Amino acid sequence: MSNLDRQATVTACGGRGFVVAEPVRELLSPRHVTLGESTEVRRLLPNLGRRMVGGWAFVDHYGPDDIADEPGMQVPPHPHMGLQTVSWLHQGEVLHRDSTGSLQTVRPRELGLMTSGRAISHSEESPKSHARFLHGAQLWVALPEAHRHTDPRFEHHPELPLVTATGLTATVILGTLDGATSPGTTYTPIVGADLTLAGGTETTLPLERDFEYAVLSMSGEVHADGVPVLPGSMLYLGCGRSELPLRAASDASVLLLGGEPFEEELVMWWNFVARSHEEVEQARRDWMEGTRFGEVHGYDGDPLPAPALPPVALKPRGRVR
Ligand code: MN
């Protein structure tokens, strides 16, 4: 999906300034953002005071929405640079098209992973004939300096490794959990996993001590390190944990997101992850002039125009809070 927020605000993020080195339990509330005409999403990242979790730089949770008599998701062609997008569904389906020629339907618990590298454009839509409910998350991973100018590509991994324990099934979306590694390409030490827990389950997940982590409830109530996490909210856990106790108060489905703290300082604006104001300006200009980001074929509609840039220069965030 795109950042269709009409007031595309600037976010400076990355660096050590926000990272909490020890275990914490910081409950984050979502910001309700309306995308396009009617779709409302709950934005967990970037959040007030919490911009990233490892390389994860953007997290929207949407649905479940009843789209039986509606077109559903309709995101016209728009550009990206400096990031990967992860499309993750629990219900419904999304038809992805991009400027590398991809045409792919992504279904629940399949990984649609788009690496923008230096430039890509894509569209996402609910197919004409679609399931009644749409429920999912849109996540972005920032690319590190060494790989942010790489060639754009799209990966679809319908089969992902599972980690199971009594009452728990974990699907490894990206990176490695408990020895199981996703086939999705990663560029920084990172993990993303989808945990399905039966009500009443008590379990413990192995973690990496030098990663920071957060959990987001997609449905149901899960207690992470004793803190109740309800749908649409996210619990930031800090670093320095070798395990995470989980208890499902009801049947629940949660995302575990983590990674090594992202050291580089970033400027995020609209659908771009950059290092400076000038890069963002150039990318915006290139998109509006129809260069660099290629073309998406087959989408029934016009590309998305970029919003206006804010009048003040965007600066990457410093390391000190
Ligand atoms: Mn997008």
Side-chain angles (χ1 to χ4, degrees), residues 137-181:
Q138 169 73 13
L139 311 133
W140 295 356
V141 180
L143 288 172
E145 183 60 35
H147 298 285
R148 70 189 185 104
H149 302 292
T150 192
D151 291 338
R153 61 190 286 217
F154 180 76
E155 298 167 48
H156 177 234
H157 300 288
E159 302 281 335
L160 295 169
L162 301 178
V163 173
T164 56
T166 306
L168 165 74
T169 301
T171 307
V172 186
I173 303 169
L174 273 188
T176 299
L177 180 73
D178 200 16
T181 301

Side-chain angles (χ1 to χ4, degrees), residues 23 52 96 98 105 127 152 182 194 203 215-216 231 233 258 279 283 319:
M52 295 179 78
H96 166 96
D98 68 44
T105 302
S182 161
D194 181 292
T203 191
V215 292
L216 156 69
S233 66
E279 275 183 21
R319 282 169 188 250

Side-chain angles (χ1 to χ4, degrees), residues 9-15 17-19 26 28 43-59 140 142 212 234 236 262 264 266-268 315-318 321:
T9 48
V10 178
T11 306
C13 52
F18 278 99
V19 176
E26 182 185 305
L28 305 175
R43 181 152 304 159
L44 280 316
L45 286 183
N47 201 298
L48 208 63
R50 178 67 46 208
R51 310 288 171 80
M52 295 179 78
V53 177
W56 300 100
F58 185 93
V59 176
W140 295 356
E212 53 179 346
M234 188 160 93
Y236 176 70
F262 197 87
E264 295 168 38
L266 307 173
V267 174
M268 268 178 68
K315 287 205 183 85
R317 202 194 150 72
R321 199 187 278 256

Side-chain angles (χ1 to χ4, degrees), residues 80-82 99 115-121 148 150-152 292-294:
H80 285 290
M81 73 169 181
S99 53
T115 302
S116 76
R118 62 183 168 272
I120 199 168
S121 55
R148 70 189 185 104
T150 192
D151 291 338
R292 180 168 153 195
F293 291 96

Side-chain angles (χ1 to χ4, degrees), residues 1-286:
M1 212 194 285
S2 158
N3 184 357
L4 291 178
D5 191 354
R6 290 209 177 87
Q7 316 140 350
T9 48
V10 178
T11 306
C13 52
R16 279 266 169 186
F18 278 99
V19 176
V20 183
E22 66 274 11
V24 289
R25 298 179 300 179
E26 182 185 305
L27 199 58
L28 305 175
S29 300
R31 188 160 71 89
H32 294 263
V33 177
T34 304
L35 303 183
E37 298 305 313
S38 57
T39 307
E40 193 182 85
V41 304
R42 293 168 293 280
R43 181 152 304 159
L44 280 316
L45 286 183
N47 201 298
L48 208 63
R50 178 67 46 208
R51 310 288 171 80
M52 295 179 78
V53 177
W56 300 100
F58 185 93
V59 176
D60 271 356
H61 175 214
Y62 55 91
D65 292 325
D66 185 342
I67 58 165
D69 302 314
E70 295 177 37
M73 183 187 290
Q74 298 295 322
V75 184
H78 59 277
H80 285 290
M81 73 169 181
L83 56 85
Q84 293 176 291
T85 64
V86 173
S87 300
W88 190 253
L89 291 170
H90 276 189
Q91 289 175 282
E93 55 281 292
V94 169
L95 177 61
H96 166 96
R97 304 171 196 267
D98 68 44
S99 53
T100 71
S102 310
L103 177 64
Q104 181 66 54
T105 302
V106 180
R107 297 192 164 81
R109 293 188 169 81
E110 298 180 352
L111 173 61
L113 177 64
M114 185 178 80
T115 302
S116 76
R118 62 183 168 272
I120 199 168
S121 55
H122 74 148
S123 63
E124 288 166 294
E125 61 198 294
S126 298
K128 284 212 169 54
S129 166
H130 54 249
R132 177 171 178 184
F133 289 101
L134 182 63
H135 182 201
Q138 169 73 13
L139 311 133
W140 295 356
V141 180
L143 288 172
E145 183 60 35
H147 298 285
R148 70 189 185 104
H149 302 292
T150 192
D151 291 338
R153 61 190 286 217
F154 180 76
E155 298 167 48
H156 177 234
H157 300 288
E159 302 281 335
L160 295 169
L162 301 178
V163 173
T164 56
T166 306
L168 165 74
T169 301
T171 307
V172 186
I173 303 169
L174 273 188
T176 299
L177 180 73
D178 200 16
T181 301
S182 161
T185 305
T186 58
Y187 297 91
T188 52
I190 196 167
V191 69
D194 181 292
L195 317 173
T196 300
L197 295 136
T201 300
E202 287 193 47
T203 191
T204 301
L205 282 182
L207 302 184
E208 305 286 335
R209 291 188 64 85
D210 53 353
F211 278 21
E212 53 179 346
Y213 288 94
V215 292
L216 156 69
S217 171
M218 298 270 292
S219 57
E221 178 177 341
V222 71
H223 295 219
D225 194 16
V227 180
V229 185
L230 286 158
S233 66
M234 188 160 93
L235 182 70
Y236 176 70
L237 294 159
C239 302
R241 294 173 183 270
S242 52
E243 55 178 39
L244 177 65
L246 289 173
R247 183 171 72 78
S250 63
D251 286 352
S253 207
V254 303
L255 293 183
L256 173 77
L257 303 175
E260 222 166 65
F262 197 87
E263 297 276 357
E264 295 168 38
E265 291 161 15
L266 307 173
V267 174
M268 268 178 68
W269 181 78
W270 195 41
N271 296 305
F272 305 134
V273 172
R275 299 298 185 276
S276 70
H277 181 83
E278 291 69 30
E279 275 183 21
V280 167
E281 265 184 333
Q282 186 62 51
R284 182 186 184 283
R285 203 175 309 128
D286 290 345

